[in-house]
Amino acid sequence: MEPQRAQDASAAARSPGPEPGPGDTRVLAVRGPVIDFACDGPLPAIHDAVIADPGGLAIPCEVQAHLDSHRFRAIALTPTQGLSRLMRAEPTGGPLTVPVGDAVLGRLIDVLGHTRDNGPPLSADTPRRAIHRAPPPQGIARPQVERFETGIKIIDLLAPLIQGGKAAMFGGAGVGKTVLVTELIHAMVAGYDGVSVFAGIGERSREGHEMLHDMAGYGVLDRTVLVYGQMNEPPGARWRVPLTALTVAEHLRDEKGRNVLLLMDNVFRFVQAGAEVSGLLGRMSSRVGYQPTLDTEVAEVHERITSGARASVTAIEAVYVPADDFTDPAVSAISAHMDSTVILSRDLAAQGIYPAIDPLTTTSALLDPAIVGADHARTAADVRQLMEHYEELRDVIALLGVEELGREEQRLVGRARRLQRFLTQPFFVAAPFTGMEGRSVAIADTVAGCRAILDGHCDDWAEAAFYMVGPLAEAEARHKARRP
C-alpha cells in the first residue's frame, strides 16, 4: 500500500488544478510552441494575447485560430517547457503590448519589450502600445517630398530614397547586405536628424551586442532602439519582431513628432518564421512551401511604414535571396511594397566591385525629374544605358578582346569601366578590415562626377584612379599623382 500511496501523492502534486469552470480558461494541449486552450466564456479575438500559467511560467501566447465555440489555438512567444494540460490561462483582453517612448531609447529589447542589454529594467510606468494596429489613413500623410541622402554614390544615383519611403537590399549569402545596412546606419549617424530603430530578425546574439557597442561608439545610442529576436527563440517571437519595432517607431513618429529610420535585417527570416508558424498550425502550404498568408503578412508590416502628419518612418531592409533566385515568392512579395529596390550581384562581388550593386536591375520609383531633378534623372538614365551597352559587349570582349571593337565602341567600354569603378566606395564600417578610410559623397558631387565621365572628360585617366574613391576630385588627384 505504501508505494501506491506515494504514487497518488506524486500525481496530486503534479496536477495543475480542476477542469475549467464557468468563465475559466485552461491549457488543453501543448505541441511545442502551439497551445490549444479551452474556455467556458467568450473566445478571445484573433491576435489577442493570452498568458499561460500566469502565476508561474507566465508564457505569453497570441491567438491564431478559433477551433469551435469553446476552444482556440495560440502560438507561444517563449519556450513552453514545463507547461502541461489543465494549467490555468488568462486572456489579456487585447493584443500583446510593448514599451514605447523615450524610455526605450538607447536600449536593446526583445519582442516582448524586456531589456536584454544588462541594463536596469524599464520602469513600471513606461507607456505601452499594442503591436497590432491599423496603418494611418492616407489622407494624413505629409504631401511634401524630402530626400534622404545616404552618401553612398550608387544608391543616391540609381535608387534614391525619400523620407517615408521603403527600400530593400536584395542579395544572396555573402554579397554584402548586412555591411550595406550597417553603412547606412553610419550615414544616418552623420547627417540624419531623427531616431533609428533596428530590428534584428533571427539574428545571432553576438550580432546584437556588436550593434549595441557600435551605436555606443558612434555616440548615437541615446537616439537608437535595438529590437532583437534571436535565432534560438521560438518562431512566434521571430515572427513578431518587426511589429514590435514598428510599434516603437510609430509612437516616436505620431506622438513625439520625430522622424524615424527603421532598419530591418533580415526580412526573409520574418517570412521564414511565418512559414514555421503556419506549418505548426497545420495550414496547407502554398507555393514553394511558403505559408498561404505570405502576401497578407508582408503587407501588414509594410503598409504601416509611411509618413504621418508631423513626421515619417523610413524603412531600409536587408532581404536574403535563397539560392540567388529572385523569382522566389518571398522576394516577389517583399519587392512589391518597395519604392527603391537595390539588387546585389554575386558576379560583381567576385570582381571586387563593392558595394556589389547591379546598376541594371537596381530600380527606384522615385527616380523622377519632379523628385530628383532633371539633371539627376537624365544622368541616371545615361549611366544605366551605358552600363547595359557594356554588358551586351562583355561576351564579345571575352572571346575576341576589346581590340576587335571599333574605336567608338572602345571609347564607350572605357567610360563604362570607369563609371563602374567610380561607383565603388570604401565604407566606414569596413575600414578596420580594408585599411581604407570610408567616404561619404554628396548627391550633387555624385551626379557631377558621373556626368563628367559620360561626357568624356576623363577618357585619358587610368581606370585604377576611379576605384574606391569618394568624389571625382579624388580620382583626379590620383590621376595627376600617377603621371610622370
Side-chain angles (χ1 to χ4, degrees), residues 279-293:
L280 290 166
L281 294 173
R283 295 172 181 159
M284 182 73 71
S285 60
S286 183
R287 294 179 298 162
V288 200
Y290 287 111
Q291 61 271 40
T293 55

Side-chain angles (χ1 to χ4, degrees), residues 82-100:
L83 195 65
S84 62
R85 292 187 70 249
L86 300 183
M87 279 187 170
R88 195 171 64 84
E90 181 182 331
T92 62
L96 179 74
T97 62
V98 294
V100 295

Side-chain angles (χ1 to χ4, degrees), residues 150-152 176-190 198 210-211 213-215 217-218 220 263 265 354-355 425-440 468:
T150 68
I152 300 174
K177 297 183 300 300
T178 299
V179 173
L180 191 55
V181 169
T182 309
E183 182 70 10
L184 286 165
I185 293 174
H186 187 279
M188 175 278 304
V189 170
F198 183 87
E210 285 175 1
M211 184 68 71
H213 291 307
D214 287 345
M215 294 295 101
Y218 295 151
V220 293
L263 301 119
D265 185 14
Y354 288 103
Q425 189 168 342
F427 282 174
F428 290 94
V429 297
F433 310 102
T434 62
M436 293 184 287
E437 184 182 353
R439 302 288 191 278
S440 179
M468 288 293 173

